[in-house]
Amino acid sequence: MADIQKTLVLVKPDGVKKHICGEVISRFERKGLSIHAIKMINVPVELAEEHYAEHKGKGFFKALIDFITSGPVLAMVIEGENAVAAVRQINGATNPLEAVPGSIRGDFATSIDENVVHASDAPETAAREIALWFPELKK
């Protein structure tokens, strides 16, 4: 039986500025995943702080918030078989210098601070993040 999951993906401000949103979407679709929901958003500080709550109090917290709120973000709910793991594989390692060529970060990012995309790291995280970014889906 297939494990159909939903996961959150963000094309961060650096990815939006590089005009690669279509390329990112294409990579997920070519893998057989679907877009369940999608929107472009200027991230309010409150949402950014909630999203990165586990990092509150760490030295890099302010930089994270400043970056994610620095420009528009493309937020998506991606759905499909083993979507959490599949999306993370397509995105590549968090540190782009460790990401394999052919992954999104391997092809488009050079810095861990601006690494183009975010994806939920587990089904439980995905549920929490989807509720934060897409509260309208709770209907």
Side-chain angles (χ1 to χ4, degrees):
M1 179 148 204
D3 185 15
I4 304 301
Q5 300 173 331
K6 290 185 176 99
T7 190
L8 180 79
V9 174
L10 304 176
V11 179
K12 297 177 184 179
D14 57 323
V16 173
K17 283 181 196 148
K18 290 177 182 178
H19 303 287
I20 59 169
C21 292
E23 173 68 25
V24 170
I25 291 167
S26 292
R27 290 181 184 214
F28 297 133
E29 289 183 329
R30 284 196 304 263
K31 186 79 168 182
L33 301 168
S34 303
I35 298 170
H36 179 77
I38 189 169
K39 63 183 171 185
M40 188 72 77
I41 179 174
N42 289 307
V43 183
V45 170
E46 302 76 29
L47 174 57
E49 288 178 347
E50 247 185 297
H51 178 77
Y52 289 119
E54 70 272 15
H55 299 302
K56 198 168 182 107
K58 296 179 183 169
F60 58 86
F61 183 72
K62 184 182 180 331
L64 268 179
I65 303 306
D66 289 348
F67 172 60
I68 202 73
T69 60
S70 69
V73 167
L74 183 67
M76 299 178 275
V77 177
I78 301 291
E79 182 176 32
E81 192 169 345
N82 300 308
V84 172
V87 163
R88 291 183 68 79
Q89 178 188 53
I90 293 165
N91 283 357
T94 304
N95 181 345
L97 301 178
E98 297 170 3
V100 298
S103 68
I104 293 167
R105 290 178 179 135
D107 290 351
F108 298 109
T110 56
S111 160
I112 198 164
D113 298 323
E114 296 188 12
N115 62 5
V116 181
V117 285
H118 163 82
S120 305
D121 63 3
E124 301 75 29
T125 311
R128 181 184 78 80
E129 291 179 347
I130 289 167
L132 276 176
W133 290 83
F134 289 89
E136 64 273 17
L137 295 180
K138 286 187 191 175
K139 295 175 185 173

